[in-house]
Amino acid sequence: MARIKCEYYSKILTMNVAATVYLPSFSTAEANFMPDEKRFDPQRRFKTLTLLHGFSGDHTIWERRSCMEMYAEENMLAIVCPSGYNGHYTDWVTGPQHLSFLEKEFLPAMQTMFPLSKKREDNYVGGLSMGGYGAAKWAFTYPETFSRLINFSGGVDIVPRIEHYKEKLGVPVTETVFGDLSAIEGSEHDIYHLMSELARTRKLKPEIYSCCGTEDIPVMEAHRKLVALGRELGFDVTAFEGPGRHDFHFWNQELKKVIYDWLPLEKPAY
């Protein structure tokens, strides 16, 4: 597995940004069993999972806390991890335009610099906690980008989630991000509203995998509401609840299930 630390300038965010890229190429197995003409074929393009981190995380957290590299290599899957800072992967009302950056700059940059497929059916997005909210917002706002969405214990019910941030964590930036907090419900920041609006169109809907640990009380209701509404609106939804907390012990086991059993991947033929 090739691991690449990538830093480049973002025009939208007006700053240097960081990402980590994992390519299922140049591995020991490929070197030993795959012909060089296939291994170095310039037309090769990999199916790609964009993985988003949670609040207080960064582009390295999935690598440091899970077995993502091994899972991806064994299934010929590329993974790209951007840094989302604590921006909720949202275009702030008075600051950085994080969602616009992801859709219009980050993913196009990754697909230009690296051998990643641009096809919708080959692109998937997932995230944990705040990243689950970001992944859902990205997938429902730009349904032409991803064919599959993975919600790992995401704070997709943003209204009570904001109260959690303010009361439990003392985070003062929510108004800076979302503006008038009383106006969030039914807006472009409301995941359930975005789902309902997408269902009214003829646009393709992403398939959804949503999971939550049974001991993860703060986000369990949000997960169940996402699953119930998704099924009611005609989305293809796979759901899982099992023993676990809001941590990587749970997310690592779910990432393995997603990559090996849920995403439409093929193991290498060598």
Side-chain angles (χ1 to χ4, degrees):
M1 194 79 165
R3 175 186 177 276
I4 303 152
K5 171 73 176 296
C6 180
E7 296 178 347
Y8 64 101
Y9 181 75
S10 163
K11 179 180 178 180
I12 292 175
L13 297 181
T14 64
M15 61 183 289
N16 284 330
V17 294
T20 311
V21 181
Y22 308 85
L23 299 175
S25 54
F26 306 104
S27 65
T28 303
E30 279 205 355
N32 289 335
F33 299 107
M34 182 180 288
D36 284 350
E37 59 268 22
K38 182 176 181 181
R39 191 159 64 111
F40 302 132
D41 182 356
Q43 302 305 314
R44 272 185 103 184
R45 292 294 181 269
F46 295 108
K47 295 183 178 183
T48 307
L49 171 61
T50 300
L51 269 181
L52 307 182
H53 63 76
F55 195 88
S56 78
D58 64 13
H59 61 100
T60 69
I61 193 70
W62 275 101
E63 174 191 23
R64 291 186 287 118
R65 302 278 178 90
S66 78
C67 299
M68 52 159 281
E69 184 174 349
M70 178 177 66
Y71 303 157
E73 182 174 326
E74 291 183 353
N75 291 276
M76 298 301 291
L77 175 69
I79 296 181
V80 293
C81 297
S83 267
Y85 312 98
N86 288 335
H88 291 80
Y89 304 98
T90 290
D91 288 352
W92 290 26
V93 294
T94 59
Q97 305 296 288
H98 290 288
L99 183 59
S100 293
F101 158 72
L102 289 172
E103 172 66 17
K104 300 176 182 178
E105 202 168 32
F106 169 73
L107 201 56
M110 295 295 100
Q111 292 170 343
T112 299
M113 288 190 279
F114 303 103
L116 308 178
S117 174
K118 296 182 180 181
K119 298 177 181 178
R120 179 183 183 272
E121 61 266 29
D122 293 341
N123 275 276
Y124 326 114
V125 65
L128 65 90
S129 197
M130 182 188 77
Y133 171 81
K137 188 170 191 179
W138 192 357
F140 297 143
T141 304
Y142 298 100
E144 67 277 8
T145 303
F146 300 106
S147 61
R148 298 202 175 202
L149 159 67
I150 309 103
N151 170 43
F152 297 95
S153 314
V156 293
D157 194 349
I158 194 61
V159 176
R161 202 61 189 156
I162 284 174
E163 293 304 315
H164 171 76
Y165 285 133
K166 294 179 71 173
E167 295 177 10
K168 303 297 183 182
L169 303 179
V171 178
V173 300
T174 48
E175 287 88 348
T176 305
V177 176
F178 298 106
D180 182 358
L181 301 183
S182 67
I184 288 180
E185 190 171 355
S187 75
E188 72 273 17
H189 304 306
D190 182 343
I191 296 301
Y192 308 125
H193 171 72
L194 292 174
M195 293 176 71
S196 298
E197 289 297 298
L198 177 56
R200 293 190 182 99
T201 73
R202 294 184 178 181
K203 296 179 181 179
L204 293 172
K205 298 188 289 289
E207 295 183 35
I208 301 170
Y209 185 98
S210 184
C211 58
C212 188
T214 51
E215 299 162 83
D216 195 354
I217 304 304
V219 294
M220 176 59 76
E221 184 176 347
H223 151 76
R224 289 177 175 171
K225 186 174 179 179
L226 181 77
V227 170
L229 181 61
R231 289 172 174 166
E232 177 185 329
L233 293 172
F235 287 79
D236 184 332
V237 181
T238 300
F240 175 78
E241 296 176 13
R245 301 179 182 275
H246 203 74
D247 59 32
F248 270 94
H249 294 292
F250 180 76
W251 298 324
N252 181 59
Q253 72 176 26
E254 288 304 295
L255 180 65
K256 182 178 182 180
K257 286 165 56 179
V258 163
I259 291 178
Y260 283 85
D261 301 326
W262 189 70
L263 291 179
L265 306 172
E266 295 182 8
K267 292 185 180 294
Y270 49 73

